[in-house]
Amino acid sequence: MEPEIIRLILIVGMFGITGISDIKSREFEDKLLIPFIIVGILTYVLELPSLLDMVLIGIGIGFSISIWYFKLVAVGDLFGLLITAAFIPELFFQFLAVSLSISVLYTVGKNYKINKSFGNAETVFAEYHESLLKKKLGYFLFHKNINEKFTFPAATVIEGKKKFLFTINAESDFVHNNELVAYTLPMMFFFFCGASVLLFTNMMI
């Protein structure tokens, strides 16, 4: 078995274990990553990374840090991305694209399902001073609060008018009393899904 496939299996296992904790509490113990890091590094003894791999690792790590810097992912997610960038440099951006696609489809579907139970975009967001286009967009991005445990605020009040919050800080505290909320994604679970898809497709080739 090729070392890259071994590392891909390690990534699936790593995200599988941390994903369970991420779903339950949106947190996980960093020490869970250590055994996977050690075994992954040992695989590089079997096959040293090429110059291209080193360049791709650098690009993947740089990209991961940049999206964390802009608060698009939490620090725990960053650790997972850094390990993935180092373990499967040639597949990293494919992994990221598949993982994010799955998470977007889930988020859009969840928001649509919840909002649909309250009515159409104009009805759900009747009190918000936003254009119809923004209301239709918001229909898929956030939803009415249904007393979920892990959500971010998705609305604010500006000069006495209710407005949408389209920018979400992944490091923000969870809220429970906002009228309009955005669902916080358990990214480790979606990374598990993305890595599993890559493992399946690469094993089939």
Side-chain angles (χ1 to χ4, degrees), residues 18-182:
T18 56
I20 294 172
S21 179
D22 204 17
I23 290 173
K24 291 180 178 179
S25 65
R26 298 301 190 274
E27 295 178 339
F28 65 91
E29 294 286 340
D30 294 344
K31 63 185 179 182
L32 292 174
L33 305 176
I34 295 175
F36 298 98
I37 294 173
I38 293 173
V39 177
I41 290 173
L42 290 176
T43 64
Y44 275 118
V45 176
L46 302 175
E47 181 182 71
L48 294 175
S50 65
L51 178 59
L52 176 60
D53 285 340
M54 294 299 289
V55 171
L56 292 174
I57 288 172
I59 293 173
I61 289 175
F63 182 81
S64 300
I65 292 174
S66 67
I67 62 176
W68 167 77
Y69 178 81
F70 288 106
K71 307 299 183 183
L72 298 177
V73 296
V75 67
D77 304 326
L78 171 64
F79 291 150
L81 289 176
L82 292 177
I83 294 170
T84 306
F87 280 11
I88 52 169
E90 293 186 20
L91 297 174
F92 176 70
F93 285 100
Q94 293 179 44
F95 153 80
L96 204 56
V98 174
S99 301
L100 294 180
S101 296
I102 295 172
S103 68
V104 167
L105 288 173
Y106 176 83
T107 303
V108 167
K110 179 182 177 71
N111 289 324
Y112 175 78
K113 181 180 179 181
I114 294 173
N115 286 328
K116 193 173 185 294
S117 66
F118 292 99
N120 58 30
E122 293 180 81
T123 302
V124 174
F125 305 129
E127 299 177 1
Y128 291 84
H129 290 261
E130 300 286 3
S131 67
L132 180 58
L133 179 61
K134 284 188 177 181
K135 287 181 178 180
K136 288 185 176 180
L137 179 61
Y139 201 73
F140 298 96
L141 297 180
F142 25 74
H143 57 267
K144 288 281 191 179
N145 193 341
I146 55 172
N147 297 318
E148 295 164 286
K149 190 175 181 180
F150 304 110
T151 54
F152 290 144
T156 187
V157 177
I158 301 176
E159 297 179 352
K161 298 179 180 180
K162 292 184 178 181
K163 306 286 287 185
F164 293 159
L165 277 176
F166 282 104
T167 56
I168 302 292
N169 183 344
E171 298 285 359
S172 297
D173 293 329
F174 301 129
V175 298
H176 308 288
N177 56 354
N178 278 62
E179 182 182 86
L180 196 63
V181 295

Side-chain angles (χ1 to χ4, degrees), residues 1 5 9 198-205:
M1 187 178 293
I5 296 298
I9 292 172
L198 283 189
L199 178 60
F200 177 76
T201 55
N202 278 272
M203 293 292 284
M204 292 297 291
I205 295 176

